[in-house]
Amino acid sequence: MRIFLNSVTVIIGMFFGLLAYMFAYAHRKKVVHHSFSAQEGPLLGKELSVFFISDIHRRRIDNRLLKKAESYGPVDIVIIGGDLAERGVPLLRIKRNVKMLSTLGPLFFVWGNNDREIGEDAIRDLLSQHGCTILDNMNTPIKTHPLWGICGTDDPSSNNVDVEASLKDVDTYRYLIVVTHTPSLFRKVEAICRPELMLAGHMHGGQIRIGKFALHPLGQFNVSEGKAKLISNGYGTSLVPLRLGAAPESHIIKIKY
């Protein structure tokens, strides 16, 4: 009986130890650096620096994360790739997160499947307070890099996705960034044009992975012929504040052109 009780105690201890590890792992402050050239042949000697973060959910943005991002040099634009919030997250926390991100550079935002749970008007109001551009099925030039345009779609959960409207007249830009919360829209975009950079999140890298087994694949960054695609593991978590085998991440992307 004593051996049995000792075994149960060890198993329980290991279980709670694993939970503690998964909780700490889920709260890592990771900035992944990527770089590529947006064209073949001679370059113009310019560089666009993008900070991308998606799926913040309930997490707090703090100075430690910002300092890691700034360690790679000045940021030209900050892109929030959806799920800035979810039901139950205090508006003050969301507002503080947006305010902190705005210190890195001009903000752009696309809707995720959870953002409207706290009220669309509330999100629009707090984003506008910090000069954030909401990419509602639209595109706009990047002011500090006028050869570049940035385009964003609504999320499929809204039943309001209009890829064609998002890409209207994008041939006026020499280079293009397309942001969608879910990577499932990439194929629809590529049926119309081939942007230099495509960004998405949503999948959380599976969030909890047992070896190769998970609900979704890990995030990835791929470059081919001057065109890059990034699917992020995201920064926060959903359902439970735990991760395993799919580290939280944000991104600095340096694009030479």
Side-chain angles (χ1 to χ4, degrees):
M1 183 67 177
R2 188 172 182 178
I3 294 175
F4 173 75
L5 290 176
N6 287 341
S7 299
V8 170
T9 301
V10 169
I11 291 170
I12 292 173
M14 292 175 64
F15 174 73
F16 282 103
L18 177 61
L19 289 183
Y21 170 79
M22 292 170 69
F23 182 83
Y25 186 72
H27 288 81
R28 292 175 63 186
K29 298 171 176 65
K30 184 177 181 182
V31 178
V32 184
H33 176 253
H34 315 275
S35 62
F36 71 101
S37 296
Q39 65 189 65
E40 297 179 355
L43 300 174
L44 299 179
K46 296 186 178 181
E47 183 177 78
L48 175 66
S49 178
V50 178
F51 179 74
F52 178 66
I53 188 167
S54 70
D55 303 281
I56 297 171
H57 291 283
R58 294 180 173 274
R59 287 198 71 178
R60 292 175 172 87
I61 303 299
D62 62 13
N63 285 320
R64 186 177 169 192
L65 177 70
L66 300 185
K67 287 179 180 178
K68 285 187 175 184
E70 290 170 337
S71 71
Y72 293 99
V75 173
D76 292 305
I77 59 171
V78 176
I79 302 173
I80 304 172
D83 282 359
L84 168 65
E86 64 176 40
R87 183 179 290 109
V89 180
L91 276 175
L92 283 177
R93 183 185 305 173
I94 302 165
K95 187 173 183 178
R96 183 177 181 276
N97 283 346
V98 172
K99 182 179 180 180
M100 296 200 77
L101 289 172
S102 71
T103 64
L104 288 177
L107 296 176
F108 295 88
F109 169 83
V110 295
W111 295 101
N113 54 297
N114 293 114
D115 290 306
R116 290 182 170 95
E117 292 175 359
I118 65 165
E120 181 173 335
D121 289 341
I123 290 286
R124 287 185 181 276
D125 181 59
L126 69 86
L127 289 174
S128 69
Q129 290 176 34
H130 296 283
C132 180
T133 300
I134 300 176
L135 298 168
D136 274 326
N137 296 320
M138 57 165 281
N139 62 79
T140 187
I142 297 174
K143 292 180 181 178
T144 55
H145 289 259
L147 294 179
W148 285 83
I150 182 169
C151 157
T153 71
D154 206 329
D155 188 72
S157 62
S158 69
N159 296 316
N160 189 42
V161 174
D162 192 336
V163 174
E164 289 78 11
S166 303
L167 297 171
K168 184 179 179 182
D169 298 325
V170 293
D171 55 355
T172 60
Y173 311 115
R174 184 167 178 180
Y175 306 104
L176 183 66
I177 298 172
V178 172
V179 191
T180 70
H181 179 61
T182 172
S184 64
L185 294 177
F186 280 6
R187 284 176 294 179
K188 292 186 177 181
V189 171
E190 290 178 311
I192 300 172
C193 69
R194 290 195 65 210
E196 276 63 41
L197 177 61
M198 301 181 70
L199 300 168
H202 183 57
M203 313 290 276
H204 293 214
Q207 190 166 313
I208 296 176
R209 309 184 63 84
I210 308 299
K212 294 182 179 181
F213 299 99
L215 291 176
H216 301 293
L218 275 171
Q220 55 185 321
F221 177 76
N222 297 309
V223 181
S224 176
E225 298 178 347
K227 314 290 184 183
K229 297 180 188 177
L230 170 62
I231 301 173
S232 177
N233 285 347
Y235 195 65
T237 57
S238 62
L239 299 180
V240 293
L242 305 173
R243 281 183 179 264
L244 183 66
E249 59 188 15
S250 58
H251 309 264
I252 287 284
I253 307 115
K254 301 275 191 178
I255 313 170
K256 298 183 185 300
Y257 69 99

